Amino acid sequence: MRVAVIDDVPQEADATRALVERAAGAASDLSAHADAETADITLFSSGSEFLDTYPRGHGFDVIFLDIEMPGLDGMETARKIREYDTNVIIIFTTRMAQYAVAGYAVDAISYLVKPIAQPEFALAWRKVQRILSSRTSLQVPIESTTGTIFLNSDDILYVDVLSHMLYYHTTRGTYTAWKSLTAAAEELKDYDFAVISRYVMVNIAHVTKIDTSTGDIDVEGEIFRVSRSKKKDVAQRLLDFHARG
């Protein structure tokens, strides 16, 4: 688990880090899969410092974000984070509880009032664990023409190739990348994606209809032709997916 702590007060950042380390260590002691619970924690002294390396750096699972910071405050930092990443868990840390309502706009899951008490932190951490354990999707780093963007695999509708550019069509918009369809398929091979032709890969979860006579499929209102050699495999993938559901 990768955790970011963004706080301009070093002592308070260290206190949050200690709480995370203690919680992650306790989870590891109780888990048969201790490595999965290990927290890799990175400290940032400002929102600007964080955004200078993110999203171009590695993605985080959880961000503890101080609200009252000079320059770019926590709320504005969170808004900018959400432009790139709708999946990362944000928890605000603050000395002023009245900020809590404003955080709904950036989908923060919790507010911890400083100095952070262990019982309140434990409640927030259990919520983090529930969210992460319920996720079966992948955060896909896309080297787009505007920089690295982290996409949730569930949000990807389909991927296609045109003039040697790869286009990720998502629920959030379309992103372009210099990558082959083969490489993208390898990246998503453990998830519900199917290559239906030399030029298109679709998210099986977003296929709304299949034409039994032609084998064509409907992905959220767009019709795609399935290559003759792929029809049997795509039909079987659809059957398997809905059987699991």
Side-chain angles (χ1 to χ4, degrees):
M1 178 191 306
R2 295 207 67 215
V3 179
V5 176
I6 308 174
D7 199 316
D8 65 305
V9 181
Q11 297 89 336
E12 295 181 351
D14 286 339
T16 302
R17 174 168 58 184
L19 287 165
V20 174
E21 288 174 339
R22 187 185 311 166
S28 294
D29 291 340
L30 296 172
S31 174
H33 305 284
D35 290 344
E37 295 290 347
T38 301
D40 178 10
I41 307 166
T42 306
L43 303 186
F44 299 88
S45 61
S46 69
S48 297
E49 181 191 1
F50 178 82
L51 292 168
D52 281 344
T53 57
Y54 180 87
R56 291 179 294 280
H58 297 292
F60 288 92
D61 299 296
V62 188
I63 299 172
F64 289 87
L65 178 55
D66 183 27
I67 292 181
E68 307 90 33
M69 293 187 292
L72 197 68
D73 67 18
M75 199 63 65
E76 187 58 30
T77 300
R79 291 191 187 99
K80 290 183 178 297
I81 289 169
R82 286 298 183 225
E83 292 176 8
Y84 297 97
D85 192 337
T86 59
N87 206 44
V88 66
I89 297 170
I90 295 177
I91 297 175
F92 281 122
T93 60
T94 176
R95 289 187 173 277
M96 305 179 72
Q98 66 263 33
Y99 280 112
V101 175
Y104 287 112
V106 291
D107 197 25
I109 70 161
S110 187
Y111 293 83
L112 297 173
V113 179
K114 300 176 184 179
I116 303 170
Q118 175 61 36
E120 282 71 26
F121 181 88
L123 285 173
W125 191 254
R126 283 198 290 272
K127 187 181 292 187
V128 167
Q129 291 178 308
R130 285 198 303 271
I131 293 170
L132 291 179
S133 65
S134 69
R135 288 178 176 172
T136 57
S137 60
L138 171 72
Q139 284 289 91
V140 185
I142 305 300
E143 295 292 340
S144 77
T145 53
T146 58
T148 304
I149 296 173
F150 292 91
L151 297 178
N152 187 323
S153 58
D154 288 344
D155 292 336
I156 300 171
L157 304 175
Y158 65 93
V159 184
D160 61 2
V161 179
L162 181 64
S163 300
H164 305 291
M165 287 290 292
L166 201 64
Y167 293 81
Y168 288 80
H169 302 268
T170 80
T171 57
R172 297 164 50 194
T174 300
Y175 303 90
T176 57
W178 293 105
K179 184 184 292 187
S180 69
L181 187 63
T182 300
E186 177 65 21
E187 208 168 45
L188 296 164
K189 66 180 180 180
D190 294 327
Y191 297 84
D192 292 304
F193 286 80
V195 176
I196 64 171
S197 71
R198 291 174 56 194
Y199 307 104
V200 180
M201 175 172 62
V202 302
N203 187 341
I204 293 293
H206 288 284
V207 174
T208 54
K209 187 170 61 176
I210 183 169
D211 189 318
T212 54
S213 60
T214 65
D216 295 347
I217 57 174
D218 184 322
V219 179
E220 303 291 349
E222 293 196 54
I223 306 300
F224 293 92
R225 178 149 309 207
V226 180
S227 298
R228 182 179 301 176
S229 62
K230 303 286 188 182
K231 286 183 180 181
K232 184 176 180 179
D233 176 65
V234 171
Q236 187 61 53
R237 295 284 299 277
L238 280 164
L239 286 172
D240 292 344
F241 175 80
H242 290 290
R244 294 200 313 269

